[in-house]
Amino acid sequence: MTDTAVPTRRADPVAEVDRLRSTFATGRTRARGWRIRQLRGLERMLAEREDEFAAALASDLGRPSVDAWLADLAPTAAESHYARRHLRRWMRRRRTGLPLSVLPGRAHYEYEPLGVVLVIGPWNYPAYLTLAPLVAALAAGNCAVVKPSEYAPATAELLGTLLPRYLDPDAVAVVPGGPDETQALLAQGLDHVFFTGSPEVGAKVMEAAAPHLTPVTLELGGKSPVIVAADADVEVAARRIAWTKLMNSGQTCIAPDYVLADAAVADDLTERIVAETTRFRGGRTGGLRVVDARQATRLSGLLDGHGGTVVTGGTVDPDARTVEPTVVRDPDVGSRLMTEEIFGPILPVLTVDGVHAAVAHVNSGPKPLAAYVFTASSTTARRVTRDVPAGATVVNHLMFHVLAPQLPFGGVGRSGTGAYHGRFGFETFSHRRSVLRKPTRPDPGFVYPPYDGRTERLLRRIF
Ligand code: NAD
């Protein structure tokens, strides 16, 4: 726990889960009308309470209100709106054909809710990354326990106050707190756990879910690389890299973690990134606010002994919770800066001898949540997509894939398990139930034992 990690309101995890289980047993959350009402309620909350959310996000993260809207509220509302518009189609049962061995009969599969699910949120986008999974859970007809991050206490408090007012309070519960409260919830043997956070804590969540065989979705992090090829539009690449790195002071799971620049463009790219960073700050100097002193101290540690050259920035003030936007040229590949997820406004730029070397570097570490490549060549783009396993690949931009509900969002390997957004979130929180209906007649005798040579030959042909 840090100076800012204050559990907001006590709620008994066991009693809350029991309460939600009783609600789920009534069956009312299965109705499409109920699901639509929840999504509408959520959208209404975001519209009516925008100022309160902006104030909470400013308090937790020092975020300007335009960023609160852009990065937390607007994408949550868009996710809910999309789910609401497509829900009828998603919920439709799907008829299927049958093989000869199963005929005669009729079959379909349908989506049913899982039951009482748990959403564990992180602090970096504490509204969006807690509410977007909730959208999927409600669209799929579940009851949900929401456990917001204790490191964004104002947002956690606000969610605790508002969600029961705008949503069915017997189907959605907010349980604030940290690891102890989360472990107490996990010990209840819930029907699904959706976790967003670090790989280290993700492993603990998976471990706590395992004894109950509770399925988990893990939205984790990692070092998302940006490969800049010799043929890239360096001007645009620099602008987009600087913009996305500055967003939320670099505390974004799909932020560019580091750049691998072809030697032919590395100097030009670095200079331009520095220039764009200055321009985007609109005359402001000094550090950018990060969430708390613990994170500032951690980032300061990453700036020790990296073996590279600090091109700009480098100052960290843990007391003020600020970190200067920093570009480090050619740090040691074995340094902490190049092996740990940065999650702050520090950007290493590594010079590499072509795309091949860049791909080899990325593949020497765990699979990232996102891989970005700037190139004018579709062959290079295809090659990087094929050769770098990652949660997602974006060509000539960064982070925009998160805004498309048509795309599954999730990691692979150490960057996560499972996915959500749009239909993929609905599927994550649903069970695909198979239903097969058979007539009692005809009831051919040859399928039942004992078998003779003739019936065995027949069975071998059919099955
Ligand atoms: P975190 O792992 O520290 O905490 C996440 C949540 O886990 C919090 O709600 C916390 O209370 C809970 N928790 C902490 N210890 C626990 C324990 N022992 N048992 C059970 N629960 C516990 O993550 P964070 O610092 O809030 O977020 C930063 C990390 O999250 C980064 O690694 C980032 O890349 C990742 N992230 C991933 C995504 C994504 O969508 N894939 C999005 C945002 C952040």
Side-chain angles (χ1 to χ4, degrees):
M1 302 264 273
T2 68
D3 38 348
T4 54
V6 188
T8 49
R9 184 174 53 84
R10 289 281 150 211
D12 176 3
V14 181
E16 291 297 80
V17 171
D18 281 350
R19 196 163 64 79
L20 267 49
R21 281 202 176 114
S22 308
T23 306
F24 187 71
T26 67
R28 74 166 184 257
T29 67
R30 291 169 179 264
R32 193 164 60 86
W34 180 90
R35 305 181 193 198
I36 297 284
R37 278 196 299 284
Q38 307 317 305
L39 298 177
R40 276 195 206 288
L42 201 81
E43 288 164 49
R44 203 155 47 77
M45 175 185 83
L46 296 170
E48 291 177 4
R49 307 295 184 140
E50 181 178 335
D51 292 349
E52 284 160 72
F53 274 104
L57 290 163
S59 157
D60 288 335
L61 294 155
R63 197 184 283 171
S65 62
V66 62
D67 287 1
W69 173 79
L70 194 66
D72 265 276
L73 306 185
T76 309
E79 187 69 24
S80 178
H81 185 246
Y82 185 84
R84 200 155 52 70
R85 273 190 22 239
H86 291 83
L87 193 56
R88 183 191 288 275
R89 193 174 333 142
W90 295 346
M91 286 176 72
R92 214 179 277 158
R93 58 172 58 175
R94 324 255 146 174
R95 293 219 165 279
T96 65
L98 287 171
L100 184 62
S101 56
V102 185
L103 285 172
R106 283 197 299 163
H108 73 265
Y109 61 91
E110 59 193 35
Y111 291 90
E112 63 178 19
L114 298 171
V116 178
V117 302
L118 171 62
V119 174
I120 306 171
W123 53 260
N124 60 333
Y125 293 91
Y128 175 45
L129 295 176
T130 309
L131 294 177
L134 181 63
V135 164
L138 297 174
N142 296 283
C143 292
V145 185
V146 175
K147 210 300 288 173
S149 172
E150 69 276 32
Y151 294 112
T155 309
E157 174 95 45
L158 190 62
L159 290 173
T161 307
L162 295 184
L163 286 181
R165 290 195 201 161
Y166 284 86
L167 304 177
D168 181 344
D170 293 323
V172 178
V174 179
V175 174
D180 292 348
E181 289 78 2
T182 316
Q183 288 290 340
L185 287 166
L186 290 165
Q188 300 310 302
L190 297 154
D191 297 297
H192 194 89
V193 175
F194 190 107
F195 169 82
T196 303
S198 59
E200 294 71 25
V201 177
K204 291 181 188 166
V205 167
M206 205 170 183
E207 197 181 340
H212 308 278
L213 298 177
T214 300
V216 293
T217 302
L218 303 175
E219 296 286 341
L220 311 176
K223 292 184 82 64
S224 297
V226 191
I227 297 173
V228 182
D231 63 356
D233 183 333
V234 175
E235 185 188 339
V236 170
R239 196 176 301 144
R240 293 179 177 181
I241 292 167
W243 180 44
T244 49
K245 186 72 178 187
L246 286 176
M247 218 174 267
N248 201 26
S249 308
Q251 303 165 117
T252 306
C253 55
I254 47 170
D257 189 279
Y258 64 99
V259 177
L260 296 163
D262 189 292
V265 294
D267 288 347
D268 187 21
L269 181 77
T270 309
E271 273 170 35
R272 287 176 188 272
I273 289 174
V274 172
E276 296 291 8
T277 302
T278 307
R279 189 166 72 86
F280 289 145
R281 298 201 69 197
R284 285 187 303 275
T285 53
L288 296 173
R289 164 83 196 273
V290 295
V291 66
D292 56 27
R294 184 186 64 148
Q295 290 297 331
T297 306
R298 183 185 63 79
L299 289 163
S300 168
L302 295 185
L303 287 174
D304 275 344
H306 52 67
T309 311
V310 174
V311 182
T312 187
T315 309
V316 178
D317 182 347
D319 293 332
R321 297 175 286 178
T322 56
V323 179
E324 232 185 328
T326 302
V327 176
V328 180
R329 190 70 192 272
D330 293 316
D332 298 335
V333 290
S335 63
R336 284 182 58 207
L337 188 62
M338 284 306 294
T339 52
E340 292 178 21
E341 179 179 10
I342 295 172
F343 221 59
I346 303 172
L347 183 73
V349 179
L350 219 69
T351 313
V352 287
D353 194 10
V355 170
H356 194 73
V359 168
H361 175 89
V362 178
N363 288 343
S364 67
K367 296 171 186 170
L369 187 56
Y372 304 115
V373 55
F374 282 86
T375 177
S377 150
S378 48
T379 308
T380 302
R382 264 201 308 278
R383 194 168 299 154
V384 170
T385 307
R386 185 194 63 195
D387 294 346
V388 175
T393 299
V394 181
V395 179
N396 289 330
H397 215 312
L398 309 93
M399 302 202 334
F400 266 69
H401 61 297
V402 72
L403 296 177
Q406 295 83 353
L407 290 174
F409 183 83
V412 57
R414 202 177 156 76
S415 57
T417 295
Y420 72 132
H421 287 187
R423 186 183 172 95
F424 306 98
F426 172 83
E427 297 241 0
T428 287
F429 282 103
S430 299
H431 169 60
R432 284 189 301 260
R433 152 98 63 119
S434 295
V435 179
L436 173 65
R437 278 189 289 170
K438 297 275 286 174
T440 53
R441 310 267 165 184
D443 192 33
F446 69 88
V447 296
Y448 299 109
Y451 305 113
D452 59 19
R454 195 182 68 83
T455 53
E456 189 182 329
R457 276 196 301 282
L458 206 55
L459 289 176
R460 280 182 186 276
R461 221 181 280 158
I462 294 172
F463 286 96

